[in-house]
Structures are given as structure tokens and as C-alpha cells.
Amino acid sequence: MNHFLTPVSFGVITERVVWMDYRFSDKVLALKPNAIREILKSASDPDVISLSAGNPAPDAFPIDEIREISERILRENPIGVLQYGVSEGYTPLRDTLKRYLREKHHIGTEEDELIIVSGAQQVMDLAAKSFLNEGDVLVCEAPSFVGALNTFRSYNTELVGVPVDPDGMNMEALEKTLDENPRAKLIYTITNFQNPSGVTMSLEKKKRLYALAKAHGCLIIEDNPYGDLRYYGEDVPAIKSFDTDGLVIYSGSFSKVLAPGIRVGYMVANKQAMSKMIICKQGQDVHTAMWSQMLCYEYMTRYDFEGHLDYLRKLYRVKADLCMKLLDEYVVPNGITYHKIEGGLFIWCDLPDQVDMLDFCKKLTERKVCVVPGNAFLTDGDLPCHSFRINFSTPTDEDLTAGIKIIGALAKEVIQ
């Protein structure tokens, strides 16, 4: 460290640092800021219409119930809320989730364990830390969730993307990718209402993915934060529901069905696989916040959790219908296409090949509308991309209407 000493009055010497050469680790040196988090800085401008965030609707939060629960547990069990807990999670919540997942989704066997994590993002980190060495390959959908991709990158993992069809990951491309990458260890997939594409993987493809993973000795991370937000069609069974070989690490979350600010997720995996991930969690945060875990437990057991999920589905169905209606009216006629959705919070829009997507998104920002450029969701952000993601859950109906009209007007100007 280079520094010099500056004398001040009364003979006191004050040391002042002028320069430091920060030598970052190889694991983080190449990491770039999360594109969505950076865009949200612009979206915080009150004059900007943000169609970029992935936040739940303001009307989605059960605020009164959360206030009641917080007051009660702080009154009746203050030490339990404020004291340390076990790394695996609050036992009553774990037991409740085990029953819920078995009864509703047929997830969990005697060979599985469930733990509570500090948001589903921690599942990706624990899995990567436990199973990936530097230079190992992780296979994922292209596009995929940028937060998970950055987590995997931090372990010097080689990311290989597989194209996404309207019914999920392209299985022929997946098989070719696994054949060509013998160091592939993990396959990451968001099987329901994928972020960012909105696509749901068909049951046929889920079974094919499982068979390919088994044949190539890979584990599957099945990320399912949006599965309870289906408002059209029939549920498709999770890959974990037919996992008889301990291949699937299943990730669930309360972020989209209760509140993201409480940072509570959960993970189901084979006990042997889970053992190392629990040790890794101990080194990260010791345990997930006790208040948050107790809050989730109380809400699931004392309140109408299923009724709340029904309310969310109705809320988002109305907003999704409005969004698709506006796109059909103002955007599609001007040359942009999009993928119809049956659930979740996102819609993926495609520009014609001749249109520069990044320039289009920049022009939208200049017109006070924020969307997320599609290359943010690729394993290599420098690859060609002609798509962008919009979110309809966060903005008001008025802002959503105004924002999509602006997108349509710009499309008419640029494309036609």
C-alpha cells in the first residue's frame, strides 16, 4: 500500500491512503454487473416506465397478515426469532414444506432432504460450490436467468447454452452438447414459465432431459420459482417428481408467492448430495433469518395459503391478458413478435433480424421506457440477439399501456 503522512496541529500524525492496487481473485475478475440490477438504476427515475423489473405486483403482498404474524411471533416467541437457528432451517417450516411438496407436487422421497435457504439464488451457489471445479461445464437454457448465470460464472465454470423451443430446451441440441462436453456436471433449467422466455417445458422433454442427464452422469438443477403462478392450462409434473436416482436438485421460493424481501427459498435433494451443501451454507450465512422462516411457517399453517395462490393467479392473469392484448394491438402490427404465456411474470419479444436490438432498447430508454436487452440472458453476452424481455407484474395498468404504446410507436418508426 502506498501512502504518505500528513502532519496536523498539536503534533498529531494522520495517515492518508492515496492509492491501493486491488488484486481481485480469478473467480470474480471477469464478472460484470448484473444487467437487470444496472437497468433498475435507470428505472428508479419516477419519470421512467419500468417494464424491466421482475418484481411481484404491489397488490400481491399480504401486508396485513405479515404484520399480524410479525407482531405475534415477536410477542410470543421473541427469543426464537432473535436467536441463532440450525443451518438446515426452522424445523416446523421444513416439515410443513415436505408435506406440501409431497401432497401437491409428488416431490420428495425417503432418500431426499429439504433445507431452507436465503432465497433460491443460494441454491445455485451451493450447488456450484459443491459440485463444480474450475473448467467444468454447466449446461443451461439459452436464454436463461442472469442471476444464476453470474453465480455459475463466479466459479470459473464454462457455460454452454442450449436453444429453447416453445416447449422447452431443444433435446437434440442438449444431447449433442452433452456428447461434446465430457466435463459437463450440471444442467440448469427453469422448467415452468422460464425467465426470461416464459416457456414451460413439456413432460415429454422433462423425461428426455432426465434420461440424458442420467446417461451422461450429470445432475439437474430444477429451478421452479414460478410454478405456482399458472393461470392457464394444466400443471406439468416436475422433473423431481419422477427422480428415482437422486439426480435432481429442486429449488423453490417464497419470493414470487409471498415476498422477495424476506429472502426465503428451499431446496430438495438426495441426502448424500445435500450433506456437502449444508456445510457450504454454514460457511456462507450460518442459517437463513429466523423471522423470515417463522413468517413463512405461520402463513402456510394459520392462513389460507392456497387461497392466496389463487388470488395471485387471478391478479396476474388479468395483467398478462392486458399485456398480450396491448402487444397484439400496438406492437405486433409493427413487426415485433412475442411468445404467448400461460403463467409467470415475463414476456419475450423478438425484433426482426435487421434491427439492432441494443440500439432499439437504448432508444426506448431515451423515451423513458425500460426493458431488458436479451443478450443479458445469454451465456455469452456478445453473441447476436434480437430479443428483449418485458415484465407486466410490476407496472400499473396505466404505465403498462403507455409503455407498450411507446414500444409500438418506436417499432413502427424503426422497422417500417
Side-chain angles (χ1 to χ4, degrees), residues 49 116 183 195 230 272 274 317 321 367 389 394:
I49 298 173
I116 308 300
R183 294 197 66 174
N195 180 5
R230 172 178 286 279
Q272 184 179 352
M274 187 72 83
R317 181 173 65 239
D321 285 348
R367 300 182 186 204
R389 190 197 76 178
T394 309

Side-chain angles (χ1 to χ4, degrees), residues 217-284:
C218 291
L219 296 178
I220 300 167
I221 304 175
E222 183 177 17
D223 192 8
N224 190 27
Y226 313 104
D228 285 321
L229 300 181
R230 172 178 286 279
Y231 28 84
Y232 289 115
E234 298 294 325
D235 286 332
V236 182
I239 303 173
K240 186 64 180 172
S241 68
F242 49 84
D243 177 20
T244 57
D245 302 281
L247 298 181
V248 181
I249 299 169
Y250 181 86
S251 172
S253 177
F254 285 95
S255 289
K256 300 302 188 290
V257 298
L258 199 54
I262 61 176
R263 307 310 302 138
V264 178
Y266 48 91
M267 171 169 53
V268 183
N270 175 270
K271 291 177 181 178
Q272 184 179 352
M274 187 72 83
S275 62
K276 291 296 185 184
M277 291 190 279
I278 292 172
I279 295 172
C280 290
K281 180 174 170 60
Q282 291 169 355
Q284 286 185 351

Side-chain angles (χ1 to χ4, degrees), residues 50-104:
S50 175
L51 307 182
S52 54
N55 300 344
D59 295 340
F61 302 120
I63 296 172
D64 291 338
E65 292 89 338
I66 290 175
R67 183 183 296 111
E68 290 172 6
I69 293 169
S70 299
E71 290 175 349
R72 183 172 62 254
I73 60 177
L74 283 168
R75 183 175 63 251
E76 297 177 357
N77 189 14
I79 303 305
V81 175
L82 301 174
Q83 190 55 277
Y84 284 113
V86 298
S87 298
E88 289 84 348
Y90 183 52
T91 299
L93 176 59
R94 293 174 65 207
D95 291 342
T96 299
L97 281 168
K98 287 176 184 178
R99 287 193 300 271
Y100 177 80
L101 290 173
R102 278 197 304 267
E103 293 170 4
K104 185 171 182 181

Side-chain angles (χ1 to χ4, degrees), residues 279-313:
I279 295 172
C280 290
K281 180 174 170 60
Q282 291 169 355
Q284 286 185 351
D285 62 1
V286 182
H287 65 85
T288 301
M290 292 303 297
W291 169 79
S292 299
Q293 295 187 74
M294 290 183 176
L295 170 64
C296 293
Y297 167 70
E298 293 282 324
Y299 195 88
M300 288 191 75
T301 56
R302 292 191 181 223
Y303 294 81
D304 186 3
F305 185 57
E306 287 298 326
H308 176 64
L309 294 179
D310 285 340
Y311 165 74
L312 292 180
R313 294 179 192 114

